[in-house]
Amino acid sequence: MNLANRLKAIKPSPTLALNAKAKALVAQGVDVVSFAAGEPDFDTPDFIKQAAIDALSKGFTKYTPTAGIPELREAICAKLERDNHLKFAPEQVLVSVGAKHSLYNIFQALLNEGDEVIILSPYWVSYPDMVQLAGGKPVIIETREEDGFAPDPEAIRKALSPRTKALIINSPSNPSGVVLSRDTLTKIADAVRGHECLLVSDDIYEKLLYTGEFANIGNVAPDLVPRLVVVNGMSKAFSMTGWRLGYTAGPKWLIAGMQMIQDQSTSNPSSFSQKAAVAALKGPESIFEPMVKEFRARRDMVVELLNSFDGVRCRAPEGAFYVLPNISGLYGRSYKGTPLQGSLQVSDILLNDFRIAAVPGAPFGVDANIRLSFATSREQLSKGLERFREFTASVR
Ligand SMILES: Cc1ncc(COP(=O)(O)O)c(C=O)c1O
């Protein structure tokens, strides 16, 4: 018996695989410092937990409407209007099992075999695989570190074809931490204006901002809002990764298609997570401050240290909780007599010989880099970075 052919188009998630490998080593008693985390190391705020506890106590433990409880869809619309100045009606919102599920549903609902989706590199690892799993074709546009990872509008124009169904924007970005400026978003909008594709804006790191301001492409190009698809969720801003709650706001026809897929697959996200999400979205903006303050301090510490290492240069991310140091200065040089050639190899050496889990850049489209998450304590960061320094010092 063989697996379905569609599986041939996708690869296992390298971040989840590395996390699993690092956890297995820890379970064997190896002292691994993990830079692989894709989740805040903060607890979910108490008032959010309490809302879930109250829901459980009151027996709110049954199926809900597939698209989410009306109260939550309304709270999402209110949030989008308050924070993002974007107007959506509750029927334009679908609540899913994390933003990952939202994105999966979008591509399943949208793409026919061979339809194209433009993805800016470096990109979140799951985008190309989700597109391929839906039969689509990822069209990658490279951006350059020296341009602050801002895409060249001309490259977007050239990549657009009659098969282009969507372009994905992710700002702040995983893995680069780049926050696209209003000027860059305006240029992207100008590039796609004459073309009918959807604009999928993955705003999941919106609240984790250290410099600059967050804008959605809909803010700079209100005429494109009818084809804007906003993806967001509770995982990163509210430290709710395990609650599995994300959402999409977009054109009614797309949301209806996505709902049909969800009706026939997962149905509704967990009932009490939805109640917790209502409390979170209605809660005070001040809850983000301590987390952002701590992440900013860690970011500064990590960037300064990395830039002092031989062969490494690191740009300070404006948002999210990752740094993407460029290690190509080490390539061509040797470690234990073996020439260094790429991020997968370096990542392996770091885990096996230096007991640090650092995600290779290659699966994110950038082999010159590795991705380090600073969503771990300062003590762990110092310890792990000292090991990384030892590695760079041992390269000849
Ligand atoms: C860019 C990006 N989008 C979406 C997600 C999915 O988040 P979740 O499914 O936890 O809501 C992640 C998680 O790592 C991410 O980095």
Side-chain angles (χ1 to χ4, degrees):
M1 190 71 86
N2 293 324
L3 288 169
N5 285 340
R6 74 177 69 86
L7 278 175
K8 292 186 183 137
I10 61 168
K11 309 168 289 307
S13 159
T15 43
L16 294 182
L18 188 73
N19 251 319
K21 201 167 160 189
K23 278 189 181 150
L25 284 171
V26 171
Q28 289 165 26
V30 182
D31 163 35
V32 175
V33 176
S34 180
F35 287 111
E39 58 187 350
D41 55 322
F42 290 77
D43 199 2
T44 305
D46 282 341
F47 76 94
I48 300 176
K49 287 187 192 170
Q50 193 57 50
I53 294 166
D54 291 348
L56 289 168
S57 307
K58 288 181 189 149
F60 194 74
T61 55
K62 303 286 171 24
Y63 293 135
T64 74
T66 294
I69 52 176
E71 199 187 349
L72 177 55
R73 291 168 92 189
E74 277 157 26
I76 290 166
C77 292
K79 179 262 175 239
L80 290 169
E81 187 159 4
R82 182 190 65 222
D83 295 357
N84 310 114
H85 314 292
L86 295 169
K87 259 187 178 306
F88 288 95
E91 318 82 79
Q92 290 181 274
V93 171
L94 179 79
V95 185
S96 301
V97 186
K100 200 173 204 174
H101 187 211
S102 303
L103 287 156
Y104 176 86
N105 283 341
I106 290 171
F107 300 122
Q108 290 292 325
L110 185 66
L111 301 180
N112 285 316
E113 204 62 37
D115 281 345
E116 296 171 3
V117 175
I118 298 181
I119 299 174
L120 309 175
S121 163
Y123 44 78
W124 182 40
V125 278
S126 293
Y127 296 145
D129 291 81
M130 284 189 192
V131 167
Q132 278 168 321
L133 197 51
K137 183 174 159 218
V139 175
I140 309 293
I141 295 188
E142 303 211 342
T143 66
R144 302 184 329 155
E145 216 169 315
E146 46 277 39
D147 300 334
F149 294 112
D152 171 10
E154 207 35 53
I156 296 179
R157 274 193 198 94
K158 278 195 191 133
L160 289 163
S161 88
R163 306 249 22 201
T164 311
K165 280 274 190 80
L167 176 145
I168 307 177
I169 295 167
N170 174 220
S171 165
S173 149
N174 174 7
S176 70
V178 155
V179 174
L180 297 179
S181 67
R182 282 177 170 262
D183 182 47
T184 300
L185 292 169
T186 304
K187 287 181 181 147
I188 297 175
D190 290 344
V192 300
R193 191 163 271 114
H195 199 284
E196 259 197 28
C197 66
L198 294 180
L199 296 166
V200 176
S201 185
D202 178 351
D203 299 351
I204 192 99
Y205 292 100
E206 166 198 15
K207 298 289 181 193
L208 303 178
L209 211 62
Y210 314 116
T211 49
E213 72 163 328
F214 171 78
N216 179 289
I217 193 160
N219 303 136
V220 300
D223 59 310
L224 300 185
V225 171
R227 50 184 165 117
L228 174 65
V229 184
V230 180
V231 175
N232 207 328
M234 315 312 294
S235 286
K236 316 289 175 171
F238 299 95
S239 289
M240 290 175 70
T241 45
W243 298 70
R244 306 314 297 131
L245 208 116
Y247 56 87
T248 311
K252 264 195 206 161
W253 59 268
L254 178 73
I255 296 297
M258 291 169 66
Q259 169 164 349
M260 206 133 75
I261 290 168
Q262 204 162 291
D263 273 338
Q264 299 293 19
S265 51
T266 58
S267 301
N268 62 279
S270 147
S271 56
F272 43 91
S273 289
Q274 293 187 58
K275 285 284 189 186
V278 171
L281 292 173
K282 290 186 172 171
E285 190 74 9
S286 57
I287 62 160
F288 307 119
E289 276 163 27
M291 184 160 77
V292 170
K293 193 168 164 222
E294 176 60 22
F295 278 151
R296 185 184 286 116
R298 291 183 198 169
R299 172 197 78 145
D300 293 346
M301 168 188 137
V302 168
V303 169
E304 192 182 334
L305 273 173
L306 285 168
N307 278 316
S308 71
F309 297 169
D310 181 30
V312 179
R313 63 167 202 269
C314 184
R315 165 180 194 284
E318 293 97 21
F321 42 65
Y322 311 99
V323 284
L324 193 66
N326 184 309
I327 54 165
S328 60
L330 301 171
Y331 295 172
R333 291 157 65 181
S334 296
Y335 170 72
K336 286 190 182 163
T338 308
L340 296 176
Q341 285 166 332
S343 61
L344 294 159
Q345 178 198 17
V346 169
S347 186
D348 263 354
I349 295 171
L350 289 174
L351 186 58
N352 297 331
D353 289 8
F354 293 87
R355 292 165 291 129
I356 43 181
V359 185
F364 296 86
V366 278
D367 197 30
N369 305 67
I370 53 171
R371 191 197 73 170
L372 307 178
S373 160
F374 48 90
T376 187
S377 70
R378 294 192 205 193
E379 294 70 40
Q380 284 294 96
L381 289 172
S382 301
K383 188 163 141 186
L385 287 172
E386 176 50 25
R387 292 179 186 179
F388 188 39
R389 192 198 59 74
E390 284 165 18
F391 162 66
T392 58
S394 63
V395 174
R396 303 278 163 245

